[in-house]
């Protein structure tokens, strides 16, 4: 159990259990210093021993030079007393324990004690009087005193070195603890306590002014730890943002998949963006050349009425200078990191518009286009009251949201189109059944009448029989025309081209022939057909296909002419021939004229006027197959004028050849 802070502070810092490195450092310094001290002491001891021995030898040499002559004189004069005095004087010298004279006469004079064996140094000095040998002086010295002095010196050196080494080690340990160890402990504690909740707090070493004046290795380690912390913080931040973005996109995906009703889904998407991506959001859709605002949301409930007022009073119209309208039409992303008042005023239509936008709070703006299959579908506008709100991560998230929203919008529109196509198909099938039954029923009645007469044995007059056959032939031709229309539309829908068999055709004669064959229908409509047919309108065309075009235009004029006169004119001009069919009946609005040539489109209810809605569609395709053009001018209540322009240039190849035209 760790001691309390007060007790730990009273402990010696080198005895602290947390100072393991310091203790190991102290032991290492002591051991190393001890080895060095022993080695140096040994070297010094050897040197001192050699010095002491050399000094002893010097004293022995001094004895030879100082006492040898006097001793020789005493022996020559046989004066023993001076001899003994001199020997006693020799033994008083340091380390000299015995002096002995052996005369040539066999006498021995000794002063001092014999040294123990193995610890003595002996020197023999011959004594001469002139040329006469008188004897030998033997001087013995002991090494015990030298050893004693050396041992005392060793103890002093070792004690001094040990004290010095210990003090130096303590000082080094203090310096290391002060400059290194405590900071290492701080680093260890910081690293051990590092967790996601504290990644924003950097590691700080509380070093003194003198310590921190120079950049050293501790600062390098501290910087490395802080760099690692910052890297972890950034990685964790990226991961958290990525997880939040994935969760946001998953939630947005659930919202987008919840329904195909855009009026319900898009407001929920706008509300989902508020708070996470922006302070307020609006979504605009681009449909039929117009931009329509479908939803909006604001993070502040008190400002939502302002947003509704902005949507009501300043919708993104065709000439709008607002970025949402421009992006919805052009399909290009726009980012305004900092919207100044000048920029905001340039985006607004008037001063009131500027006031509303500023009250809603707009400092940064990101408008992301909704694009599917290369076509712009609208835009999502993300607005923040904070400048520089949108960086690369927010931009990528907004683009991914826009991509998924665009796919959902495109799917919803495709579903709506498929629903309309299914309804249109059902209506077409009902109308086609009715149209096919119209010629079949009279034909069936005529055939049944002839069959009953034949079975009853009654005679049938030839003129009446011919009338019945002519009527039947007309009805079968009408039925064949309906079937041909269905086959042509089927081939075009399947991607097969229309086949043309070109030949030299006089368009005036062709129109006259078609009118001749429609006399009964013209009479039934009550309309007068006024002709103006040129005899020089000749070109290389497919007669049967052009007859379909003329028939379709005349049927349309008779159907909607309301019994008023119909003008049919064929004129030629340089390089082309014009066919004009004009009625003075119902007429059409501008929106109806834009789609009158579409497949299955009638512009009027089928229950009142009937028809398959294919005549004008096939007429346009057939005219275009001849490299011509067809157009209409109409106004409600003033009738309609259809104009066909056909080029008269001769087709290459042999006349009567066929061309497949898609």
């Amino acid at each position: 159990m760790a001691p309390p802070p007060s007790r730990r502070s009273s402990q010696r810092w080198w005895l602290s259990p947390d100072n393991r490195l310091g203790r190991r450092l102290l032991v290492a310094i002591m051991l190393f210093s001890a080895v060095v001290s022993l080695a140096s002491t040994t070297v010094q001891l050897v040197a001192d021993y050699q010095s002491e021995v050399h000094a002893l030898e010097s004293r022995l040499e001094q004895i030879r030079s100082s006492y040898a002559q006097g001793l020789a004189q005493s022996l020559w004069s046989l004066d023993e007393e001076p001899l003994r005095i001199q020997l006693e004087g020799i033994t008083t010298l340091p380390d000299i324990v015995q002096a002995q004279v052996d005369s040539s006469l066999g006498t021995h004079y000794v002063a001092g004690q014999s040294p123990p064996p193995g610890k003595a140094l002996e020197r023999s000095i011959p004594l001469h009087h002139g040329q006469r040998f008188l004897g030998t002086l033997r001087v013995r010295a002991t090494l015990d005193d030298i050893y004693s002095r050396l041992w005392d010196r060793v103890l002093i050196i070792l004690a001094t070195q040990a004290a010095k080494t210990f003090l130096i080690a303590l000082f080094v340990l203090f310096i290391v603890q002060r400059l290194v160890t405590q900071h290492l402990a701080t680093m260890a504690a910081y690293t051990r306590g590092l967790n996601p909740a504290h990644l924003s707090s950097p590691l700080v070493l509380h070093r003194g002014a003198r310590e921190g004046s120079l950049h050293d290795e501790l600062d390098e380690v501290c910087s490395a730890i802080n760099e690692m912390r910052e890297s972890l913080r950034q990685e964790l931040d990226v991961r958290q943002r990525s997880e939040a973005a994935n969760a946001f996109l998953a939630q947005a995906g659930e919202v987008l998949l919840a329904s195909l009703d855009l009026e319900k889904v898009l407001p929920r998407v706008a509300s989902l963006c508020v708070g996470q991506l922006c302070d307020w959001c609006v979504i605009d859709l681009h449909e039929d050349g117009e931009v329509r605002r479908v939803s909006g949301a604001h993070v502040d409930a008190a400002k939502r009425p302002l947003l509704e007022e902005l949507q009501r009073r300043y919708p993104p119209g065709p000439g709008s200078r607002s970025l949402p309208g421009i992006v919805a039409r052009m399909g290009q992303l726009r980012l305004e990191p900092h919207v100044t008042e000048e920029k905001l005023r340039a985006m607004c239509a008037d001063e009131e518009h500027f006031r509303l936008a500023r009250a809603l709070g707009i400092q940064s703006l990101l408008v992301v286009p909704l694009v599917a299959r290369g076509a712009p579908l609208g835009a999502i506008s993300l607005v923040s009251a904070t400048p520089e709100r949108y960086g690369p991560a927010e931009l990528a998230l907004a683009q991914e949201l826009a991509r998924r929203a665009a796919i959902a919008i495109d799917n919803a529109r495709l579903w709506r189109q498929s629903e309309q196509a299914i309804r249109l198909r059902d209506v077409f099938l009902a109308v086609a059944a009715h149209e096919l039954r119209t010629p079949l029923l009279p034909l069936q009645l005529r055939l049944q009448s002839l069959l009953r007469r034949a079975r009853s044995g009654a005679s049938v007059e030839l003129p009446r029989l011919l009338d019945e056959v002519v009527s039947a032939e007309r009805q079968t031709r009408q039925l064949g025309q309906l079937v041909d229309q269905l086959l042509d539309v089927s081939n075009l829908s399947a991607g097969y081209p229309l086949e043309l068999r070109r030949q030299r055709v006089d368009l005036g004669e062709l129109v006259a022939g078609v009118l001749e064959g429609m006399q009964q229908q013209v009479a039934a409509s009550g309309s007068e057909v006024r002709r103006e047919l040129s005899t020089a309108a000749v070109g290389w065309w497919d007669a049967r296909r052009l007859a379909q075009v003329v028939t379709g235009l005349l049927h349309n004029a008779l159907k909607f002419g309301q019994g008023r006169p119909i003008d049919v004119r064929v004129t030629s001009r340089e390089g082309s021939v014009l066919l004009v069919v004009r009625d003075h009946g119902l007429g059409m609005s501008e929106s109806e004229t834009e789609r009158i040539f579409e497949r299955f489109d009638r512009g009027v209810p089928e229950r009142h006027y009937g028809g398959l809605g294919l005549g004008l569609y096939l007429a346009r395709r057939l005219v275009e197959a001849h490299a011509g053009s067809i157009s209409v001018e109409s106004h409600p209540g003033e009738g309609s004028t259809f104009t066909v322009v056909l080029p008269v240039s001769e087709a290459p190849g042999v006349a009567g050849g066929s061309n497949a035209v898609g």
Side-chain angles (χ1 to χ4, degrees):
M1 179 177 177
S6 59
R7 181 182 174 185
R8 293 183 63 180
S9 61
S10 65
Q11 287 183 337
R12 297 180 184 273
W13 52 267
W14 61 79
L15 296 178
S16 173
D18 296 333
N19 197 17
R20 296 184 295 272
L21 179 61
R23 292 200 301 274
R24 288 198 297 269
L25 182 62
L26 178 62
V27 172
I29 292 175
M30 294 295 293
L31 289 177
F32 179 75
S33 298
V35 172
V36 172
S37 297
L38 288 175
S40 63
T41 302
T42 301
V43 172
Q44 186 174 357
L45 184 62
V46 172
D48 290 347
Y49 175 76
Q50 292 177 350
S51 178
E52 291 285 349
V53 172
H54 180 71
L56 181 59
E57 290 178 349
S58 297
R59 282 193 294 274
L60 292 174
E61 183 64 24
Q62 184 180 6
I63 291 172
R64 184 187 66 79
S65 61
S66 300
Y67 289 92
Q69 188 65 31
L71 291 174
Q73 186 64 36
S74 297
L75 284 177
W76 177 259
S77 61
L78 299 176
D79 191 354
E80 295 183 357
E81 186 63 24
L83 179 64
R84 292 184 183 280
I85 292 172
Q86 291 183 54
L87 291 177
E88 290 292 337
I90 292 173
T91 58
T92 61
L93 295 175
D95 300 324
I96 305 300
V97 296
Q98 189 180 42
Q100 180 181 342
V101 174
D102 298 325
S103 67
S104 58
L105 300 178
T107 60
H108 302 280
Y109 303 96
V110 179
Q113 301 294 328
S114 298
K119 294 184 179 180
L121 182 65
E122 183 177 335
R123 176 68 60 87
S124 296
I125 303 172
L127 300 174
H128 294 86
H129 184 72
Q131 297 294 327
R132 188 177 179 83
F133 175 73
L134 299 180
T136 302
L137 173 61
R138 301 182 188 280
V139 181
R140 296 181 177 86
T142 181
L143 299 178
D144 289 340
D145 292 340
I146 294 176
Y147 290 155
S148 178
R149 289 194 300 272
L150 290 177
W151 179 250
D152 293 340
R153 195 175 301 168
V154 167
L155 292 178
I156 294 173
I157 291 174
L158 290 178
T160 304
Q161 291 290 339
K164 181 176 70 174
T165 300
F166 183 72
L167 293 176
I168 292 175
L170 287 180
F171 178 73
V172 171
L173 184 60
F174 172 76
I175 295 299
V176 171
Q177 170 68 19
R178 173 82 181 192
L179 300 181
V180 179
T181 307
Q182 66 175 353
H183 300 307
L184 292 178
T186 301
M187 294 178 187
Y190 176 84
T191 307
R192 190 177 296 112
L194 198 62
N195 57 63
H198 301 99
L199 288 178
S200 59
S201 301
L203 170 63
V204 178
L205 298 180
H206 298 287
R207 310 179 71 184
R210 186 171 297 177
E211 292 181 67
S213 60
L214 297 177
H215 192 75
D216 55 18
E217 289 79 358
L218 286 176
D219 295 322
E220 292 288 340
V221 175
C222 181
S223 298
I225 293 176
N226 282 327
E227 289 174 4
M228 178 191 68
R229 174 196 60 79
E230 183 64 21
S231 177
L232 289 175
R233 188 187 66 79
Q234 293 178 358
E235 182 178 352
L236 181 62
D237 187 47
V238 170
R239 182 176 299 178
Q240 289 175 344
R241 287 202 305 267
S242 177
E243 292 175 354
N246 290 334
F248 172 76
L249 291 175
Q251 189 175 2
E254 293 179 0
V255 171
L256 292 170
L257 293 175
S259 173
L260 290 172
D261 188 352
L262 298 179
E263 302 298 330
K264 295 180 179 178
V265 169
L266 294 182
R268 294 181 59 191
V269 173
S271 300
L272 187 64
C273 294
V274 168
Q276 299 194 49
L277 278 176
C278 59
D279 293 323
W280 56 282
C281 170
V282 292
I283 300 179
D284 303 296
L285 292 184
H286 182 240
E287 295 178 307
D288 300 328
E290 297 181 357
V291 178
R292 179 174 61 91
R293 182 152 294 170
V294 294
S295 64
H298 201 291
V299 69
D300 187 357
K303 293 186 177 181
R304 290 175 186 173
L306 295 176
L307 184 60
E308 294 174 358
E309 183 179 357
L310 179 68
Q311 296 179 13
R312 183 181 67 258
R313 296 182 59 181
Y314 300 99
S320 175
R321 293 178 297 174
S322 65
L323 286 184
I326 296 174
V327 172
R329 290 190 297 269
M330 304 300 294
Q332 296 178 350
L333 180 143
R334 294 292 296 272
L335 172 63
E336 290 292 342
H338 189 192
V339 181
T340 61
E341 288 197 0
E342 291 75 10
K343 290 183 179 180
L344 181 59
R345 195 178 298 275
M347 299 176 191
C348 297
D350 52 31
E351 192 64 28
E352 183 63 21
H353 190 187
F354 172 75
R355 185 192 66 80
L356 282 174
R358 187 171 60 177
L360 285 169
I362 172 171
Q363 289 292 320
S364 54
L365 173 64
L366 173 61
V367 186
V368 189
L370 299 169
V371 180
R373 296 184 291 168
L377 305 180
I380 299 179
S381 302
L382 306 172
V383 188
S384 174
T386 304
E388 307 291 342
R389 167 73 181 274
Y390 300 106
E394 291 78 11
L395 184 60
L397 179 59
Q399 288 179 315
E400 179 62 22
L401 172 65
R403 186 184 70 82
R404 299 189 181 194
I407 293 175
I409 293 171
D410 189 49
N411 289 338
R413 289 183 177 179
L414 291 175
W415 172 78
R416 187 174 59 192
Q417 292 172 4
S418 65
E419 288 280 309
Q420 293 174 351
I422 291 173
R423 288 196 300 270
L424 187 60
R425 182 203 62 185
D426 294 339
V427 172
F428 170 75
L429 290 177
V431 173
H434 176 73
E435 292 295 322
L436 290 174
R437 184 178 293 276
T438 299
L440 281 177
L441 185 57
L443 178 60
Q444 184 180 11
L445 292 176
R446 292 180 185 278
L447 293 177
Q448 288 176 353
S449 176
L450 291 175
L451 184 60
R452 282 196 302 270
R453 284 180 175 273
R455 287 178 177 175
S456 64
S459 61
V460 180
E461 296 81 0
L462 183 59
R464 182 176 180 181
L465 180 60
L466 290 176
D467 291 340
E468 296 290 343
V469 172
V470 170
S471 299
E473 190 274 337
R474 184 174 61 252
Q475 290 158 356
T476 55
R477 186 170 63 251
Q478 182 181 356
L479 183 60
Q481 291 174 353
L482 292 174
V483 173
D484 288 341
Q485 286 184 349
L486 293 176
L487 288 175
D488 287 339
V489 172
S490 177
N491 289 331
L492 289 172
S493 299
Y496 296 112
L498 293 174
E499 188 166 333
L500 301 181
R501 298 186 177 275
R502 295 179 182 269
Q503 59 184 356
R504 190 175 182 83
V505 177
D506 187 328
L507 187 57
E509 293 181 1
L510 186 143
V511 172
V514 172
L515 288 173
E516 187 68 24
M518 297 179 60
Q519 288 182 359
Q520 187 174 356
Q521 298 178 29
V522 172
S525 67
S527 296
E528 176 189 0
V529 178
R530 297 181 296 200
R531 310 180 187 186
E532 185 180 342
L533 306 178
S534 173
T535 58
V538 179
W540 288 84
W541 304 305
D542 186 322
R544 185 177 68 88
R545 294 297 191 182
L546 285 187
Q548 286 183 258
V549 174
V550 175
T551 301
L553 294 177
L554 290 174
H555 276 160
N556 186 77
L558 293 173
K559 185 183 297 183
F560 303 112
Q562 294 183 322
R564 298 172 185 174
I566 297 173
D567 297 321
V568 179
R569 186 174 75 253
V570 176
T571 58
S572 61
R573 61 183 184 180
E574 186 178 356
S576 62
V577 172
L578 271 66
L579 168 63
V580 179
V581 178
R582 180 182 181 186
D583 66 78
H584 301 78
L586 289 176
M588 294 176 289
S589 64
E590 183 179 354
S591 61
E592 292 172 340
T593 58
E594 292 176 354
R595 54 187 175 85
I596 193 63
F597 293 107
E598 297 298 325
R599 184 174 51 176
F600 305 137
D601 197 283
R602 302 174 186 80
V604 293
E606 67 276 356
R607 67 175 61 185
H608 295 135
Y609 291 91
L612 297 176
L614 298 176
L616 295 179
Y617 166 73
L618 287 174
R620 178 176 65 88
R621 297 303 297 267
L622 289 170
V623 170
E624 291 174 351
H626 285 86
S629 64
I630 183 171
S631 60
V632 61
E633 293 183 7
S634 182
H635 299 283
E638 298 180 8
S640 303
T641 302
F642 289 86
T643 302
V644 177
V645 181
L646 295 172
V648 299
S649 57
E650 294 187 359
V654 181
S658 65
N659 300 94
V661 182

